[in-house]
Amino acid sequence: MASGNKSIFRTKSIEAMLSESGKGLKKVLGAFELTMLGIGAIIGTGIFVLTGVAAADYAGPALVLSFVFSGIACSFAALCYAELAAMIPVAGSAYTFGYVGLGEIWAWIIGWDLILEYMVAVAAVAVGWSGYIVTLLKAGGITVPAALCNPPGQNGGIVNLPSIIILGIIMLFLIKGVSESTKLNNILVLIKLAVVILFIVVGVGHVNPANWHPFFPYGVNGVFTGASIIFFAYVGFDAVATAAEEVKNPQRDLPIGIIASLLVCTVLYIIVSAILTGMVPYQQYHNNAAPVAYALQQVGINWGSALVSVGAVCGISSVLLVMTFGSTRILFSLSRDGLLPTVFSEVHPKFGTPVKSTVLVGVITMALSGFLQIGRLAEMTNIGTLAAFCVVSASVIVLRKKRPDVKRPFSCPGVPITPAIAIVFCLYLIYKLPHFTQGVFVVWVSIGFVIYFIYGKSHSIMNFEEQK
């Protein structure tokens, strides 16, 4: 069952993983729902918020190339995810793949890392959702008091109530069941895709090529720094892999969901960033939290600006739904393996969902978004995802060597070159991130090591497997 009796690098066999898979979780998802989950997680804050910041402060019109670079880096990683997700259709995503390929300590660290990444992302995105909804309500004549839509210490705030309310609603949807949650997600994704396409159709006629000069205001280096910042825009396609145990035909549908959602989003990102920087000089997006709506306003299309705001609310809501879902499934997997208390892997007999995991994630994200100024912590999601991509890519190489006998319904092309390229791309983007982000990552990982050696190593179900 395991490699090394008490080794921190002991691995779990694929057969053991598959034998645990699907106990209690309902299988309700197909390729369409998975693709929509991926788009739901990817298109949101990245396109409606971060495009402006990255253009103004990091890349200028060359932001288009930043998206191309990030998209390529993600594509190599996505091919690795597709192989492992089809081969090991078990909840937990990078955590599960790391456990089978690299060993328990790597799996724990990446699982611990992903929990932080998802929860901080959810909290940060909820604050963005709150900003959009407060603006929309104001346009409709309803003013939310500053004390109730800002955290303590910001503009006289006491609590960011809208962000707490939306996360409470999402928690209830996820408790009720995955089927209901994906139906809501499908509707939200269709609305935001319609809004993005509307922006492309309306905006392309207002592009002034003069705004693309100079194309490299921050130099070529700005393209790569921009890529490391807007990588946040791609965080989420790994959430498709966290749903593995709830998929009806995982061997066929998981690779389709992962690759299709990434391709659709990359194409849309490249087109939108080109139009955005062509409509309005990139400098004007500095500190602008709603660049798409702002660009339409500047060219006199106010009705389009209002529609984009509605689309942004829907888009960001679906990000919250999918990212919260992802964090609950990773917590569920860590708990089921004994690395965290097993109470969080209990599945509700009626709803078929891990209710206690969902409530814990809901409460923590509500507290973070309601009472903290997230600020630079949002950048933590980038380094967490990049580290996860490295672990997944390395696991593909290791498992091709160690377990060539296992059936691979989808094979990543060009192994070991493809996963090696993914690792190099991701390590380079980690290197380009701010030092603050790298520092927080080191602190969080250090806390993870302490928890593993105090609790996880002795409670791991691998200890009991080894006694058999």
Side-chain angles (χ1 to χ4, degrees):
M1 279 288 181
S3 66
N5 191 30
K6 295 289 183 184
S7 168
I8 61 173
F9 298 107
R10 54 193 173 182
T11 56
K12 188 177 274 196
S13 74
I14 294 171
E15 291 75 15
M17 281 282 186
L18 294 175
S19 70
E20 292 170 4
S21 174
K23 288 181 181 172
L25 296 173
K26 289 183 181 176
K27 293 186 179 295
V28 294
L29 305 177
F32 175 75
E33 287 83 4
L34 287 171
T35 304
M36 296 297 265
L37 266 180
I39 296 172
I42 299 168
I43 292 188
T45 315
I47 209 161
F48 292 115
V49 179
L50 279 182
T51 42
V53 175
D57 300 342
Y58 298 103
L63 179 66
V64 173
L65 298 181
S66 299
F67 275 114
V68 171
F69 185 80
S70 277
I72 291 169
C74 278
S75 299
F76 285 110
L79 291 168
C80 297
Y81 264 94
E83 172 168 318
L84 294 181
M87 186 169 82
I88 316 166
V90 178
S93 182
Y95 160 74
T96 298
F97 306 149
Y99 214 146
V100 172
L102 303 181
E104 185 172 274
I105 187 68
W106 284 105
W108 160 256
I109 286 301
I110 214 64
W112 176 246
D113 173 37
L114 283 171
I115 287 174
L116 173 74
E117 172 216 322
Y118 274 101
M119 290 202 295
V120 171
V122 167
V125 172
V127 171
W129 185 94
S130 172
Y132 265 105
I133 204 74
V134 167
T135 304
L136 269 179
L137 289 172
K138 195 172 184 181
I142 303 168
T143 302
V144 180
L148 297 181
C149 60
N150 289 295
Q154 184 178 309
N155 301 331
I158 297 171
V159 60
N160 192 333
L161 200 55
S163 68
I164 291 177
I165 291 170
I166 186 62
L167 289 174
I169 293 168
I170 280 166
M171 182 177 73
L172 293 175
F173 260 97
L174 289 172
I175 287 171
K176 185 75 169 57
V178 176
S179 181
E180 289 79 359
S181 301
T182 50
K183 282 172 190 166
L184 172 64
N185 181 63
N186 290 349
I187 294 166
L188 294 173
V189 170
L190 288 171
I191 292 171
K192 72 175 167 186
L193 282 177
V195 167
V196 170
I197 291 164
L198 172 79
F199 170 73
I200 291 169
V201 171
V202 172
V204 73
H206 294 273
V207 167
N208 177 4
N211 289 329
W212 289 330
H213 301 289
F215 191 70
F216 294 105
Y218 298 98
V220 175
N221 192 46
V223 172
F224 300 115
T225 306
S228 71
I229 299 298
I230 56 98
F231 198 84
F232 186 93
Y234 286 101
V235 170
F237 82 78
D238 59 328
V240 176
T242 67
E245 283 182 47
E246 289 143 287
V247 181
K248 289 179 276 194
N249 184 358
Q251 285 79 11
R252 182 183 76 94
D253 295 343
L254 280 166
I256 293 172
I258 290 167
I259 294 166
S261 59
L262 184 65
L263 285 175
V264 169
C265 296
T266 300
V267 169
L268 289 176
Y269 276 156
I270 290 167
I271 296 170
V272 167
S273 57
I275 292 174
L276 262 183
T277 51
M279 287 174 71
V280 177
Y282 70 91
Q283 301 95 326
Q284 292 186 29
Y285 294 119
H286 183 65
N287 282 340
N288 192 317
V292 179
Y294 174 79
L296 290 171
Q297 268 180 342
Q298 292 305 105
V299 296
I301 308 173
N302 290 319
W303 60 269
S305 176
L307 267 179
V308 163
S309 295
V310 173
V313 167
C314 292
I316 295 171
S317 299
S318 67
V319 173
L320 291 172
L321 185 70
V322 181
M323 298 294 269
T324 306
F325 170 85
S327 56
T328 62
R329 293 322 186 255
I330 292 164
L331 183 59
F332 168 83
S333 299
L334 287 165
S335 167
R336 183 169 63 184
D337 289 336
L339 300 176
L340 286 175
T342 52
V343 67
F344 297 115
S345 57
E346 292 171 6
V347 176
H348 193 278
K350 181 183 174 188
F351 301 137
T353 56
V355 172
K356 287 166 185 170
S357 282
T358 307
V359 170
L360 179 65
V361 168
V363 169
I364 292 173
T365 52
M366 281 190 256
L368 288 172
S369 68
F371 297 101
L372 290 182
Q373 296 177 39
I374 301 298
R376 291 190 294 185
L377 260 181
E379 294 167 4
M380 262 304 296
T381 55
N382 295 11
I383 202 164
T385 305
L386 288 163
F389 286 2
C390 289
V391 166
V392 171
S393 302
S395 297
V396 168
I397 298 171
V398 171
L399 286 170
R400 284 285 185 101
K401 197 88 175 161
K402 280 169 57 178
R403 295 300 306 270
D405 56 306
V406 179
K407 185 171 180 260
R408 288 166 169 80
F410 176 88
S411 285
C412 172
V415 175
I417 304 300
T418 301
I421 291 172
I423 292 169
V424 170
F425 266 123
C426 293
L427 287 176
Y428 181 70
L429 288 174
I430 287 173
Y431 167 72
K432 296 300 289 183
L433 282 167
H435 294 310
F436 168 83
T437 306
Q438 296 164 347
V440 173
F441 179 72
V442 169
V443 170
W444 181 254
V445 167
S446 302
I447 294 169
F449 274 116
V450 172
I451 291 173
Y452 174 74
F453 285 108
I454 289 176
Y455 181 90
K457 188 169 186 286
S458 58
H459 288 80
S460 168
I461 60 164
M462 294 294 281
N463 296 324
F464 304 104
E465 299 286 1
E466 287 159 356
Q467 289 164 14
K468 290 180 183 179

